[in-house]
């Protein structure tokens, strides 16, 4: 079910999903009365790596993400946020930018990552200072971007997901490993099918552009 992509080919833009979503809004969304499949979680499943963990459990026909980050950095510290992708306004989620600590930049670049990274496409934190001229867009922009990351990772399953996710200190790698192990046991989920015009919460879901953020 998982899709392999080369992330180096994807433009980072301003480090958020804002420009992608804005352009989709300009073009507009059209519904088709064709079947669309969703993954519906059947039982609780958990994946852990030390103190990091991600769980998923059954929920009604909606996707909820409850995300927590914990950093030693005095500015970021501990942040937690929960969103319902079918009902909540996701504007602040897809407007939140990727971030890194100043002291990690050399290590990241030695790994061959963030080759085009700069203050135009990432928030950089040095001790308790934001190096970006305009500062943060939101006080909890850090955890909101992590939710955006999680949303994108979940979409790589090829289907929308109905379930409730709780994650602490996660990231792309944790979510990817979690999905791979979750799909190994077919008792964890079932595929449900709706005609697009009858998908639960469709009007709210499309209005918030949850699937495109």
């Amino acid at each position: 079910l998982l899709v392999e992509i080369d992330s180096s080919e994807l433009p980072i833009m301003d480090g958020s999903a804002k420009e992608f979503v804005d352009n989709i809004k300009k073009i507009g969304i059209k519904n088709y009365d064709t079947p669309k499949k969703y993954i519906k979680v059947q039982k609780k499943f958990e994946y852990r790596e030390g103190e990091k963990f991600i769980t998923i459990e059954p929920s009604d026909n909606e996707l909820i993400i409850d995300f927590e980050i914990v950093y030693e950095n005095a500015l970021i510290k501990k942040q937690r946020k929960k969103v319902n992708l079918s009902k909540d306004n996701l504007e602040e989620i897809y407007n939140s930018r990727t971030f890194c600590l100043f002291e990690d930049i050399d290590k990241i670049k030695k790994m061959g990552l963030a080759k085009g990274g700069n203050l135009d496409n990432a928030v950089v934190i040095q001790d308790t200072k934001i190096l970006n001229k305009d500062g943060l867009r939101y006080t909890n922009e850090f955890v909101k971007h992590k939710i955006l990351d999680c949303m994108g990772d979940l979409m790589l399953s090829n289907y929308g997901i109905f379930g409730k996710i709780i994650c602490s200190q996660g990231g792309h790698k944790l979510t990817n490993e979690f999905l791979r192990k979750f799909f190994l046991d077919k008792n964890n989920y079932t595929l449900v099918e709706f005609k697009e015009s009858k998908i639960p919460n469709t009007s709210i879901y499309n209005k918030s552009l949850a699937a495109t953020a």
Side-chain angles (χ1 to χ4, degrees), residues 60-126:
D60 290 331
N61 296 333
E62 58 191 9
L63 175 60
I64 297 169
I65 300 177
D66 185 345
F67 208 104
E68 174 187 67
I69 59 173
V70 180
Y71 279 74
E72 293 182 3
N73 178 270
L75 180 65
I76 303 175
K77 295 186 286 189
K78 185 176 181 178
Q79 298 184 4
R80 186 171 180 174
K81 175 76 176 175
K82 180 169 75 171
V83 297
N84 184 318
L85 273 70
S86 299
K87 298 177 181 178
D88 294 342
N89 186 329
L90 300 178
E91 183 175 358
E92 292 189 0
I93 301 299
Y94 60 68
N95 282 353
S96 293
R97 297 159 294 172
T98 190
F99 62 93
C100 72
L101 300 176
F102 180 80
E103 59 266 31
D104 290 338
I105 292 176
D106 285 343
K107 179 176 67 175
I108 293 171
K109 290 193 172 182
K110 285 179 181 178
M111 295 170 62
L113 304 173
K115 294 179 180 179
N118 56 61
L119 295 177
D120 292 327
N121 55 36
V123 176
V124 181
I125 307 102
Q126 186 174 28

Side-chain angles (χ1 to χ4, degrees), residues 68-200:
E68 174 187 67
I69 59 173
V70 180
Y71 279 74
E72 293 182 3
N73 178 270
L75 180 65
I76 303 175
K77 295 186 286 189
K78 185 176 181 178
Q79 298 184 4
R80 186 171 180 174
K81 175 76 176 175
K82 180 169 75 171
V83 297
N84 184 318
L85 273 70
S86 299
K87 298 177 181 178
D88 294 342
N89 186 329
L90 300 178
E91 183 175 358
E92 292 189 0
I93 301 299
Y94 60 68
N95 282 353
S96 293
R97 297 159 294 172
T98 190
F99 62 93
C100 72
L101 300 176
F102 180 80
E103 59 266 31
D104 290 338
I105 292 176
D106 285 343
K107 179 176 67 175
I108 293 171
K109 290 193 172 182
K110 285 179 181 178
M111 295 170 62
L113 304 173
K115 294 179 180 179
N118 56 61
L119 295 177
D120 292 327
N121 55 36
V123 176
V124 181
I125 307 102
Q126 186 174 28
D127 299 323
T128 58
K129 181 181 179 182
I130 301 294
L131 299 187
N132 305 67
K133 181 180 177 181
D134 296 329
L136 294 173
R137 292 176 178 171
Y138 317 104
T139 55
N140 56 352
E141 185 171 358
F142 307 115
V143 70
K144 287 178 178 176
H145 181 79
K146 286 292 188 177
I147 291 174
L148 177 63
D149 282 347
C150 185
M151 289 165 58
D153 293 338
L154 295 174
M155 295 303 170
L156 295 179
S157 65
N158 283 354
Y159 300 104
I161 296 177
F162 293 145
K164 179 181 179 182
I165 286 179
I166 300 175
C167 184
S168 180
Q169 306 173 69
H172 295 300
K173 181 178 181 295
L174 189 79
T175 309
N176 186 276
E177 290 297 324
F178 158 78
L179 286 173
R180 291 180 185 278
K181 289 178 171 54
F182 174 78
F183 288 125
L184 285 176
D185 184 353
K186 292 186 177 180
N187 293 317
N188 286 330
Y189 66 95
T190 187
L191 287 177
V192 294
E193 191 173 276
F194 296 95
K195 287 191 174 181
E196 191 166 16
S197 62
K198 297 182 179 181
I199 294 172

Side-chain angles (χ1 to χ4, degrees), residues 20-53:
F20 296 100
V21 174
D22 285 348
N23 278 283
I24 291 172
K25 283 182 175 180
K26 289 178 183 177
I27 296 171
I29 296 173
K30 182 176 181 179
N31 288 333
Y32 293 89
D33 196 23
T34 53
K36 188 171 183 180
K37 291 182 179 180
Y38 283 79
I39 294 164
K40 191 171 181 67
V41 178
Q42 295 297 299
K43 62 180 181 177
K44 183 176 180 180
F45 177 80
E46 178 178 86
Y47 176 71
R48 284 184 174 268
E49 289 184 0
E51 295 183 353
K52 302 176 181 180
F53 71 85

